[in-house]
């Protein structure tokens, strides 16, 4: 119903009325409230001249001249009077949570204007409609509104270019399911416009390849971003390695080609240069390539190196951040990385050997009042702990290792710099695991909520 500039009446002015007022205002209606008392927020709107307020009980005469009426008084007798008066005049009326008295109902909506999805249970179980709505909210990217408007702005041009319905539909399908649409949703409308003009000129669906460098988080599928999940479900081909948990890989589009590019330490299934080149080659052949990374692609993920090749060859790409394993381990093991009493800063380092030694800034790392998180440090744990102590960190400093953080198989082992490496052997901890050093580790005993914390032999 087009309500722009139309008079609408809301009877009642409490919390529920406020919700309806928000919706009607968004639709551009001219609003009148009838109620002896008024919610503070509604009063503010009234004082700002945004709506009219008749400060009294409802009277049948209020109905005159209204285009739509909502009764939200919470008093069934009053609501019934409003309903009757409105229906006698043939004016649509909704009584909140009372389908019997309503001539129309207000569905739960997913608003991606101009795209709007309404979910209704016919007034039977509004909570269920709201649950369905919540699911749709998470499935449909926020940028769908942009996409709808973008497509709308090309409607006439496309119609002129493809007068035949079948060809037109094919064109739109290619556009709306392609990388161009992702550009629009992701906010890169400029590039999408250029691609769209080009596609219109060539008369084919745009099919230029691209690369999505996507962080898949520490392993628990619930920790994926909406954007990551969406791109996973659209990819033509996926490049992944050991750090990507199998449960995540299952979420990739079924008929996408999967390429394992390895990266077990010291046993690279494919050298980095070969991965870079493969990404470029696949994209140049017109594929939508998903490079799925554990954690965050820009945190010890070589994400920078992988996209450098793409930049050199002007291949379009996008980077999607993920929850880095340090954040995942911290949250799921109950070890806050900073804490007002224990740590004012946190440092992420790699324990990986380069040219035979671990090159870290030890004097900086042993300073008090900080947390150090070590990626790729399980196999060098003994050396690392010894180096901390040798550079002056007390041997009693709490230290933990978190294996397969956030996953069902997560294990946390807590000790000190003096005994952590023994415990790593004792419990058989293997990669992927993080080492966390600092006073905050003590908190795990109290704050761990996900899996047990092990500490003793
Ligand atoms: N880009 C990734 C890190 C890649 S380096 C990220 O942002 O998390 C690989 C190291 O990450 C592993 O050696 C391990 O130290 C750590 N790691 C990755 N996933 C992990 C997990 N689920 N649990 C513990 N450590 C993990």
């Amino acid at each position: 119903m087009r309500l722009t500039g139309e008079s609408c009446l809301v009877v009642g002015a409490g919390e529920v009325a406020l919700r309806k007022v928000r919706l009607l205002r968004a639709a551009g209606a001219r609003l009148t409230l009838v109620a002896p008392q008024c919610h503070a927020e509604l009063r503010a709107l009234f004082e700002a001249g945004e709506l009219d307020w008749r400060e009294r009980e409802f009277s049948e005469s209020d109905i005159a001249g209204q285009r739509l009426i909502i009764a939200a008084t919470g008093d069934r007798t009053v609501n019934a009077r409003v309903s009757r008066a409105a229906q006698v005049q043939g004016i649509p009326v909704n009584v909140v949570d009372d389908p019997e008295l309503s001539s129309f109902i207000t569905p739960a909506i997913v608003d991606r204007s101009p795209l709007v999805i309404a979910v209704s249970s016919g007034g039977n179980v509004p909570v269920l409609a709201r649950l369905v709505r919540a699911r749709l909210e998470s499935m449909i990217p926020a940028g769908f509104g942009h996409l709808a408007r973008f497509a709308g702005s090309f409607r006439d041009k496309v119609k002129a270019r493809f007068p035949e319905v079948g060809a037109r539909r094919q064109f739109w399908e290619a556009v709306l399911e392609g990388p161009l649409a992702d550009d629009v949703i992701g906010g890169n409308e400029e590039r999408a416009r250029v691609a769209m003009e080009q596609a219109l000129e060539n008369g084919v669906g745009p099919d230029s390849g691209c690369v999505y460098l996507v962080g898949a988080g520490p392993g628990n599928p619930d920790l994926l971003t909406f954007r990551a999940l969406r791109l996973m479900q659209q990819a033509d081909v996926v490049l992944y390695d050991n750090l990507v948990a199998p449960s995540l890989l299952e979420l990739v589009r079924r008929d996408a080609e999967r390429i394992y590019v390895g990266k077990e330490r010291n046993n690279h299934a494919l050298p980095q240069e070969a991965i870079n080149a493969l990404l470029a080659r696949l994209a140049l052949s017109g594929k939508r390539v998903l490079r799925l990374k554990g954690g965050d692609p820009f945190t010890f993920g070589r994400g920078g190196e992988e996209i450098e090749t793409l930049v050199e060859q002007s291949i379009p790409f996008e980077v999607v951040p993920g929850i880095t394993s340090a954040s995942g381990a911290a949250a799921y093991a109950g070890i806050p990385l900073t804490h007002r009493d224990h740590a004012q800063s946190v440092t992420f380092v790699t324990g990986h050997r380069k040219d035979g030694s671990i090159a870290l800034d030890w004097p900086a790392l042993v300073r008090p009042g900080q947390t150090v998180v070590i990626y790729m440090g399980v196999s060098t744990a003994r050396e690392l702990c010894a180096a901390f102590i040798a550079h002056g960190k007390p041997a009693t400093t709490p230290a933990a290792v978190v294996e397969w953080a956030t996953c069902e198989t997560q294990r946390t082992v807590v000790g000190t710099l003096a005994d952590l490496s023994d415990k790593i052997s004792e419990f058989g901890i293997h990669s992927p695991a993080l080492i966390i050093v600092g006073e905050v580790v003590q908190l795990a005993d109290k704050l761990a909520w996900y899996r047990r914390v092990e500490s003793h032999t």
Side-chain angles (χ1 to χ4, degrees):
M1 190 180 275
R2 198 184 294 277
L3 291 177
T4 321
E6 300 279 356
S7 301
C8 297
L9 180 74
V10 176
V11 185
E15 193 79 40
V16 180
L18 173 63
R19 279 210 310 270
K20 302 294 173 187
V21 163
R22 283 199 194 112
L23 284 173
L24 289 169
R25 272 169 54 78
R30 285 214 329 255
L31 285 169
T32 302
L33 294 180
V34 189
Q37 277 115 33
C38 192
H39 188 282
E41 210 172 315
L42 291 169
R43 182 185 292 272
L45 287 172
F46 167 66
E47 280 160 5
E50 298 280 312
L51 48 75
D52 238 1
W53 175 27
R54 299 175 187 162
E55 192 176 349
R56 53 166 173 73
E57 299 290 346
F58 168 75
S59 128
E60 270 66 10
S61 63
D62 288 321
I63 299 291
Q66 302 295 342
R67 180 87 173 85
L68 181 137
I69 295 169
I70 289 185
T73 67
D75 176 333
R76 195 152 201 264
T77 323
V78 179
N79 285 348
R81 271 176 55 213
V82 178
S83 170
R84 210 171 317 113
Q87 298 201 48
V88 165
Q89 303 273 326
I91 302 169
V93 60
N94 173 262
V95 178
V96 176
D97 280 342
D98 199 334
E100 252 170 66
L101 291 180
S102 302
S103 69
F104 75 94
I105 52 178
T106 54
I109 61 171
V110 180
D111 189 358
R112 301 284 188 276
S113 291
L115 183 81
V116 178
I117 302 165
V119 184
S120 163
S121 66
N124 285 295
V125 43
V127 174
L128 188 63
R130 250 169 266 151
L131 288 179
V132 171
R133 181 195 135 192
R135 288 207 186 170
L136 292 174
E137 285 283 5
S138 66
M139 274 170 57
I140 300 168
F144 252 49
H146 296 303
L147 184 60
R149 224 165 305 140
F150 175 88
S153 71
F154 279 97
R155 197 160 170 234
D156 292 340
K157 270 194 188 166
V158 174
K159 211 165 178 175
R161 178 72 179 77
F162 303 99
E164 199 265 312
V165 184
R168 193 157 69 231
R169 181 169 45 75
Q170 252 178 12
F171 178 83
W172 274 124
E173 278 174 6
V175 167
L176 295 174
E177 288 178 356
L180 188 161
D182 275 315
D183 268 350
V184 181
I185 292 167
N188 200 342
E189 211 170 305
E190 221 29 57
R191 190 159 78 188
R193 270 193 194 280
V194 175
M196 189 72 179
E197 294 291 356
Q198 214 170 358
L200 275 169
E201 209 173 290
N202 302 341
V204 290
D207 64 352
S208 65
C210 55
V211 175
Y212 300 112
L213 181 60
V214 174
N220 184 330
D222 276 348
L223 299 178
L224 279 173
T225 60
F226 291 153
R227 184 95 183 123
L229 181 60
R230 184 176 145 71
L231 294 175
M232 285 162 77
Q233 290 176 347
Q234 290 192 343
D236 297 316
V237 49
V238 185
L239 275 67
Y240 69 100
D241 50 51
N242 325 55
L243 268 186
V244 174
S247 53
L248 288 174
L249 221 47
E250 270 170 31
L251 297 173
V252 172
R253 194 164 69 104
R254 293 249 170 270
D255 44 0
E257 183 189 345
R258 286 149 205 244
I259 303 179
Y260 173 73
V261 294
K263 256 208 202 154
E264 197 98 50
R265 258 170 39 79
N266 306 329
N267 176 24
H268 293 221
L270 262 191
Q272 189 62 48
E273 298 69 40
I275 296 177
N276 302 353
L278 182 59
L279 286 172
R281 188 161 57 70
L282 288 166
L284 287 172
S285 74
K287 296 236 161 69
R288 269 180 287 177
V289 186
L290 184 80
R291 173 64 171 119
L292 205 53
K293 288 272 184 184
D296 177 75
F298 276 6
T299 305
F300 301 121
R302 303 201 182 182
E305 294 170 46
E306 294 189 3
I307 57 178
E308 254 173 62
T309 324
L310 305 175
V311 175
E312 280 159 19
Q313 304 191 39
S314 310
I315 295 166
F317 66 89
E318 179 180 324
V319 184
V320 179
I323 294 181
T324 190
S325 48
S327 299
Y332 277 64
I335 305 175
L337 297 178
T338 66
H339 189 289
R340 281 196 295 170
D341 299 334
H342 307 296
Q344 284 66 50
S345 67
V346 52
T347 307
F348 295 173
V349 298
T350 165
H352 194 61
R353 263 193 218 95
K354 199 174 177 186
D355 310 323
S357 72
I358 307 173
L360 290 171
D361 182 1
W362 290 107
L365 293 183
V366 299
R367 268 182 226 131
Q370 68 173 323
T371 306
V372 178
V373 183
I374 305 165
Y375 289 68
M376 296 173 275
V378 182
S379 61
T380 51
R382 195 165 293 278
E383 250 176 286
L384 288 162
C385 292
F388 268 105
I389 295 168
H391 287 86
K393 197 89 177 162
T396 51
T397 307
V401 62
V402 187
E403 180 190 52
W404 279 114
T406 77
C407 302
E408 278 172 22
T409 49
Q410 172 178 312
R411 289 195 296 168
T412 307
V413 177
V414 168
T416 62
L417 282 177
D419 64 10
L420 189 71
S421 53
D422 287 340
K423 288 184 173 174
I424 286 177
S425 324
E426 182 190 331
F427 285 96
I429 300 288
H430 294 288
S431 178
L434 287 167
I435 296 172
I436 306 178
V437 178
E439 298 301 325
V440 288
V441 167
Q442 306 165 52
L443 296 167
D445 272 339
K446 205 162 68 182
L447 303 184
W449 54 272
Y450 182 61
R451 289 280 186 267
R452 221 148 52 91
V453 175
E454 319 272 0
S455 60
H456 298 294
T457 41

